[in-house]
Amino acid sequence: MKKLGFLLILGVLLAVILVGCSGTKEPAPKVAKIPAIPHEVTQGMDCKSCHESGVNGAKITKHLDRPNCTSCHKVKQ
């Protein structure tokens, strides 16, 4: 009889632990799509000259500290 009570308590504890561990997970964060460069890119081009101030309607970048734009952004074909 004592064994049955012990097993019952053990089963309840395991159920509580399993329910607690299988709670809802937060959804994985969405990864932003890196936009393509919509214009010609030439060797030695200084992207910051336009993208720092928005000259000619250029999108102002939030990461001017990164020196090589084409390491992430690809030229639109």
Side-chain angles (χ1 to χ4, degrees):
M1 191 68 161
K2 286 183 182 182
K3 253 187 183 176
L4 183 60
F6 175 75
L7 290 175
L8 182 62
I9 291 172
L10 184 61
V12 169
L13 286 174
L14 284 174
V16 168
I17 290 170
L18 289 175
V19 168
C21 290
S22 67
T24 59
K25 292 182 180 179
E26 290 193 24
K30 291 184 179 181
V31 178
K33 184 177 177 184
I34 298 172
I37 300 171
H39 56 77
E40 184 180 347
V41 176
T42 58
Q43 181 110 13
M45 182 180 268
D46 181 19
C47 300
K48 292 179 188 179
S49 65
C50 292
H51 291 282
E52 187 170 40
S53 61
V55 172
N56 296 324
K59 201 171 184 182
I60 296 175
T61 183
K62 295 177 182 160
H63 46 265
L64 289 170
D65 58 324
R66 299 179 189 165
N68 186 3
C69 299
T70 57
S71 65
C72 294
H73 298 276
K74 303 300 175 207
V75 179
K76 197 175 205 177
Q77 300 282 328

